[in-house]
Amino acid sequence: MSISRTTPLRVAVLASGRGSNLQAIIDAIEAGQVQAQIVAVISNKKDAVALDRARKHGIKDLFVDPKPFAGRPDSREAYDRALLDILQQHDVELVLLAGYMKIVTAVLVNTYANRMMNIHPSLLPSFPGLDVQKKAIDWGCKLAGCTVHFVTEGVDEGPIIIQAAVPILDDDTPETLAARILVQEHKIYLRAVQLFAEGRLRVDGRQVLIDDAKPSDEAIISPT
Ligand code: GAR
Protein backbone atom coordinates (compact mmCIF):
# COMPACT_ATOMS: atom_id res chain seq x y z
CA MET A 1 0.00 0.00 0.00
CA SER A 2 1.38 3.43 -0.84
CA ILE A 3 1.49 6.24 1.68
CA SER A 4 0.62 9.82 0.88
CA ARG A 5 3.06 12.40 2.18
CA THR A 6 2.20 15.89 3.26
CA THR A 7 5.71 17.23 2.55
CA PRO A 8 8.08 16.41 -0.31
CA LEU A 9 10.67 13.71 0.29
CA ARG A 10 13.98 15.30 1.35
CA VAL A 11 16.70 14.05 -0.97
CA ALA A 12 20.48 14.60 -1.12
CA VAL A 13 22.51 13.72 -4.20
CA LEU A 14 26.18 12.71 -4.07
CA ALA A 15 27.93 13.21 -7.41
CA SER A 16 31.50 13.41 -8.66
CA GLY A 17 31.16 14.48 -12.28
CA ARG A 18 28.93 15.60 -15.10
CA GLY A 19 25.66 15.22 -13.21
CA SER A 20 23.32 14.30 -16.05
CA ASN A 21 21.38 11.93 -13.78
CA LEU A 22 21.12 14.71 -11.22
CA GLN A 23 19.79 16.98 -13.97
CA ALA A 24 17.16 14.42 -15.01
CA ILE A 25 15.93 14.23 -11.43
CA ILE A 26 15.93 18.02 -11.00
CA ASP A 27 13.92 18.36 -14.23
CA ALA A 28 11.42 15.69 -13.15
CA ILE A 29 10.92 17.38 -9.79
CA GLU A 30 10.44 20.77 -11.44
CA ALA A 31 7.95 19.19 -13.88
CA GLY A 32 5.97 17.73 -10.96
CA GLN A 33 6.73 14.13 -11.95
CA VAL A 34 8.61 13.36 -8.74
CA GLN A 35 7.35 14.49 -5.34
CA ALA A 36 10.71 15.28 -3.80
CA GLN A 37 12.96 18.17 -2.91
CA ILE A 38 16.72 18.07 -3.39
CA VAL A 39 18.04 19.74 -0.25
CA ALA A 40 21.74 19.35 -1.07
CA VAL A 41 24.11 18.22 -3.79
CA ILE A 42 27.43 17.10 -2.34
CA SER A 43 30.62 16.33 -4.24
CA ASN A 44 34.10 15.07 -3.49
CA LYS A 45 35.30 16.98 -6.59
CA LYS A 46 35.52 20.75 -6.44
CA ASP A 47 34.96 21.21 -10.17
CA ALA A 48 32.13 18.69 -10.56
CA VAL A 49 29.64 19.94 -13.15
CA ALA A 50 26.96 18.51 -10.88
CA LEU A 51 27.65 21.35 -8.42
CA ASP A 52 27.10 23.95 -11.17
CA ARG A 53 23.84 22.28 -12.10
CA ALA A 54 22.67 22.46 -8.48
CA ARG A 55 23.57 26.15 -8.20
CA LYS A 56 21.68 26.98 -11.41
CA HIS A 57 18.55 25.52 -9.87
CA GLY A 58 18.94 27.21 -6.49
CA ILE A 59 19.94 23.97 -4.78
CA LYS A 60 22.56 24.02 -2.05
CA ASP A 61 25.88 22.75 -3.44
CA LEU A 62 28.65 21.52 -1.18
CA PHE A 63 32.18 20.43 -1.96
CA VAL A 64 33.57 18.24 0.79
CA ASP A 65 37.32 17.99 0.27
CA PRO A 66 38.67 14.48 0.90
CA LYS A 67 42.25 15.81 1.35
CA PRO A 68 42.06 16.70 5.07
CA PHE A 69 40.96 13.12 5.77
CA ALA A 70 43.68 11.43 3.70
CA GLY A 71 46.50 9.55 5.36
CA ARG A 72 44.64 8.49 8.50
CA PRO A 73 43.76 4.81 8.89
CA ASP A 74 40.02 5.56 8.98
CA SER A 75 40.12 8.16 6.21
CA ARG A 76 37.14 6.79 4.29
CA GLU A 77 34.99 6.42 7.41
CA ALA A 78 36.01 9.87 8.67
CA TYR A 79 35.03 11.39 5.33
CA ASP A 80 31.69 9.63 5.45
CA ARG A 81 31.11 10.87 9.02
CA ALA A 82 31.54 14.41 7.70
CA LEU A 83 28.97 13.65 4.97
CA LEU A 84 26.64 12.07 7.50
CA ASP A 85 26.74 15.23 9.62
CA ILE A 86 25.65 17.26 6.60
CA LEU A 87 22.92 14.79 5.66
CA GLN A 88 21.55 14.78 9.20
CA GLN A 89 21.73 18.57 9.47
CA HIS A 90 19.53 18.71 6.38
CA ASP A 91 17.08 16.03 7.60
CA VAL A 92 17.79 13.98 4.50
CA GLU A 93 15.46 11.01 4.06
CA LEU A 94 16.87 9.54 0.85
CA VAL A 95 20.45 9.68 -0.48
CA LEU A 96 21.11 9.25 -4.21
CA LEU A 97 24.51 8.32 -5.58
CA ALA A 98 24.63 9.69 -9.11
CA GLY A 99 28.02 9.18 -10.68
CA TYR A 100 29.57 9.30 -7.20
CA MET A 101 32.97 7.72 -7.72
CA LYS A 102 33.88 7.03 -4.11
CA ILE A 103 33.02 3.81 -2.32
CA VAL A 104 30.75 4.55 0.62
CA THR A 105 31.48 2.93 3.98
CA ALA A 106 29.33 1.35 6.67
CA VAL A 107 29.10 4.79 8.31
CA LEU A 108 26.70 5.93 5.60
CA VAL A 109 25.37 2.55 4.49
CA ASN A 110 24.15 1.54 7.96
CA THR A 111 22.53 4.86 8.77
CA TYR A 112 20.84 5.02 5.39
CA ALA A 113 20.09 1.30 4.99
CA ASN A 114 17.38 0.93 2.34
CA ARG A 115 17.37 4.73 2.06
CA MET A 116 20.38 5.12 -0.23
CA MET A 117 20.25 4.35 -3.95
CA ASN A 118 22.88 4.07 -6.66
CA ILE A 119 22.64 3.98 -10.43
CA HIS A 120 25.02 1.76 -12.34
CA PRO A 121 25.41 1.40 -16.12
CA SER A 122 25.11 -2.37 -16.41
CA LEU A 123 22.53 -5.07 -15.87
CA LEU A 124 23.72 -6.09 -12.41
CA PRO A 125 24.93 -8.50 -11.17
CA SER A 126 26.80 -8.57 -14.49
CA PHE A 127 29.68 -6.11 -14.66
CA PRO A 128 29.97 -4.30 -11.33
CA GLY A 129 32.79 -1.77 -11.03
CA LEU A 130 34.33 0.42 -13.71
CA ASP A 131 34.49 0.50 -17.54
CA VAL A 132 31.43 -1.68 -17.67
CA GLN A 133 30.22 -0.73 -21.14
CA LYS A 134 33.56 -1.87 -22.60
CA LYS A 135 33.38 -5.06 -20.57
CA ALA A 136 29.88 -5.85 -21.88
CA ILE A 137 31.01 -5.30 -25.49
CA ASP A 138 34.21 -7.31 -25.02
CA TRP A 139 32.23 -10.18 -23.50
CA GLY A 140 30.04 -10.30 -26.60
CA CYS A 141 26.79 -9.51 -24.81
CA LYS A 142 23.80 -8.69 -26.99
CA LEU A 143 22.03 -6.70 -24.28
CA ALA A 144 23.33 -4.14 -21.82
CA GLY A 145 21.51 -1.75 -19.56
CA CYS A 146 21.36 0.01 -16.24
CA THR A 147 20.31 -0.72 -12.69
CA VAL A 148 19.09 1.31 -9.74
CA HIS A 149 19.72 -0.51 -6.49
CA PHE A 150 19.84 0.13 -2.77
CA VAL A 151 23.38 0.59 -1.51
CA THR A 152 25.02 -1.99 0.70
CA GLU A 153 28.67 -2.30 1.70
CA GLY A 154 29.47 -4.54 -1.29
CA VAL A 155 30.12 -2.42 -4.37
CA ASP A 156 27.17 -2.52 -6.81
CA GLU A 157 25.70 -5.44 -4.84
CA GLY A 158 22.57 -4.13 -3.12
CA PRO A 159 18.95 -5.16 -3.77
CA ILE A 160 17.80 -4.19 -7.25
CA ILE A 161 14.91 -1.74 -7.59
CA ILE A 162 14.59 -1.22 -11.34
CA GLN A 163 16.50 -2.07 -14.51
CA ALA A 164 16.34 -1.13 -18.19
CA ALA A 165 17.89 -3.10 -21.06
CA VAL A 166 19.21 -1.84 -24.39
CA PRO A 167 20.71 -3.68 -27.37
CA ILE A 168 24.44 -3.78 -28.02
CA LEU A 169 25.10 -3.18 -31.71
CA ASP A 170 27.97 -4.71 -33.69
CA ASP A 171 29.62 -1.34 -34.27
CA ASP A 172 29.17 -0.02 -30.73
CA THR A 173 32.07 1.60 -28.95
CA PRO A 174 32.00 2.01 -25.17
CA GLU A 175 31.00 5.62 -25.79
CA THR A 176 28.05 4.91 -28.11
CA LEU A 177 26.80 2.19 -25.80
CA ALA A 178 27.20 4.42 -22.74
CA ALA A 179 25.11 7.10 -24.48
CA ARG A 180 22.34 4.58 -25.26
CA ILE A 181 22.33 3.35 -21.67
CA LEU A 182 22.36 6.89 -20.29
CA VAL A 183 19.04 7.69 -21.99
CA GLN A 184 17.51 4.87 -19.95
CA GLU A 185 19.31 5.89 -16.75
CA HIS A 186 17.56 9.23 -17.00
CA LYS A 187 14.22 7.43 -17.04
CA ILE A 188 14.65 4.77 -14.38
CA TYR A 189 16.37 6.77 -11.64
CA LEU A 190 13.52 9.19 -11.25
CA ARG A 191 11.02 6.33 -11.31
CA ALA A 192 12.85 4.69 -8.43
CA VAL A 193 12.81 7.96 -6.47
CA GLN A 194 9.10 8.45 -7.09
CA LEU A 195 8.35 4.86 -6.00
CA PHE A 196 10.28 5.55 -2.80
CA ALA A 197 8.46 8.85 -2.28
CA GLU A 198 5.16 7.02 -2.66
CA GLY A 199 6.25 4.47 -0.02
CA ARG A 200 5.88 1.61 -2.48
CA LEU A 201 9.27 -0.09 -2.01
CA ARG A 202 9.78 -2.89 0.50
CA VAL A 203 13.03 -4.80 0.86
CA ASP A 204 12.74 -8.52 1.59
CA GLY A 205 16.20 -10.07 1.61
CA ARG A 206 17.64 -9.51 -1.84
CA GLN A 207 14.28 -8.65 -3.33
CA VAL A 208 12.71 -5.24 -3.58
CA LEU A 209 8.95 -5.65 -3.67
CA ILE A 210 7.00 -2.87 -5.33
CA ASP A 211 3.37 -2.24 -4.45
CA ASP A 212 1.12 -2.14 -7.51
CA ALA A 213 4.05 -2.70 -9.87
CA LYS A 214 3.08 -3.04 -13.51
CA PRO A 215 5.40 -5.68 -14.92
CA SER A 216 6.39 -5.22 -18.53
CA ASP A 217 5.20 -8.07 -20.75
CA GLU A 218 7.57 -7.19 -23.57
CA ALA A 219 10.80 -9.09 -24.02
CA ILE A 220 13.79 -7.31 -25.54
CA ILE A 221 15.40 -9.65 -28.06
CA SER A 222 18.63 -8.60 -29.70
CA PRO A 223 19.26 -8.99 -32.59
CA THR A 224 15.63 -9.24 -33.68
C1 GAR B 1 26.42 7.20 -15.12
O1 GAR B 1 26.49 6.45 -16.30
C2 GAR B 1 26.29 6.30 -13.92
O2 GAR B 1 25.52 5.16 -14.17
C3 GAR B 1 27.74 5.94 -13.69
O3 GAR B 1 28.44 7.13 -13.90
C4 GAR B 1 27.73 7.92 -14.84
C5 GAR B 1 27.51 9.27 -14.23
O4 GAR B 1 26.93 10.12 -15.16
N1 GAR B 1 27.96 5.43 -12.38
C6 GAR B 1 28.81 4.45 -12.12
O5 GAR B 1 29.50 3.92 -12.95
C7 GAR B 1 28.85 4.03 -10.66
N2 GAR B 1 29.36 2.72 -10.53
P1 GAR B 1 26.29 11.50 -14.71
O6 GAR B 1 27.33 12.19 -13.82
O7 GAR B 1 26.09 12.24 -15.98
O8 GAR B 1 25.02 11.22 -13.97
Side-chain angles (χ1 to χ4, degrees):
M1 204 196 345
S2 67
I3 49 159
S4 56
R5 300 177 55 97
T6 50
T7 54
L9 176 74
R10 294 178 69 80
V11 173
V13 179
L14 308 191
S16 302
R18 157 184 74 173
S20 72
N21 276 290
L22 165 68
Q23 188 69 55
I25 294 165
I26 292 174
D27 292 346
I29 291 172
E30 290 185 352
Q33 292 162 4
V34 173
Q35 273 67 56
Q37 179 190 3
I38 301 178
V39 295
V41 173
I42 306 171
S43 185
N44 60 324
K45 299 279 179 194
K46 194 173 186 175
D47 55 359
V49 177
L51 293 176
D52 299 332
R53 293 185 193 265
R55 272 193 297 275
K56 276 192 195 128
H57 290 265
I59 298 167
K60 184 163 202 172
D61 66 293
L62 293 161
F63 162 56
V64 181
D65 192 351
K67 271 200 216 97
F69 303 91
R72 39 193 282 192
D74 66 339
S75 64
R76 291 176 52 228
E77 286 78 9
Y79 185 82
D80 279 358
R81 270 193 292 277
L83 294 192
L84 187 57
D85 275 352
I86 296 171
L87 297 173
Q88 291 180 331
Q89 278 162 24
H90 289 80
D91 295 324
V92 169
E93 297 170 277
L94 176 68
V95 180
L96 302 178
L97 309 186
Y100 183 62
M101 294 314 198
K102 218 170 173 322
I103 296 172
V104 291
T105 67
V107 171
L108 283 180
V109 169
N110 292 344
T111 309
Y112 279 94
N114 299 335
R115 299 192 299 141
M116 183 183 300
M117 296 178 183
N118 179 44
I119 188 151
H120 181 75
S122 80
L123 289 173
L124 291 171
S126 293
F127 309 119
L130 298 174
D131 299 325
V132 296
Q133 297 92 346
K134 180 174 186 317
K135 286 175 186 162
I137 293 170
D138 289 351
W139 192 261
C141 297
K142 298 300 184 193
L143 292 172
C146 46
T147 303
V148 178
H149 63 93
F150 283 118
V151 177
T152 54
E153 273 195 79
V155 176
D156 300 325
E157 272 183 17
I160 292 170
I161 302 164
I162 185 168
Q163 294 183 303
V166 300
I168 298 180
L169 308 181
D170 286 350
D171 59 356
D172 263 332
T173 63
E175 292 71 29
T176 58
L177 178 58
R180 190 173 310 116
I181 293 171
L182 196 64
V183 172
Q184 301 307 317
E185 293 188 39
H186 295 166
K187 292 180 188 169
I188 66 170
Y189 214 173
L190 50 102
R191 271 203 220 173
V193 175
Q194 179 60 14
L195 287 169
F196 187 98
E198 291 173 1
R200 290 170 59 191
L201 302 180
R202 191 160 45 85
V203 181
D204 180 10
R206 278 221 50 90
Q207 281 194 308
V208 178
L209 304 172
I210 303 176
D211 287 339
D212 300 324
K214 293 183 197 70
S216 164
D217 56 3
E218 274 182 31
I220 298 173
I221 298 171
S222 179
T224 52

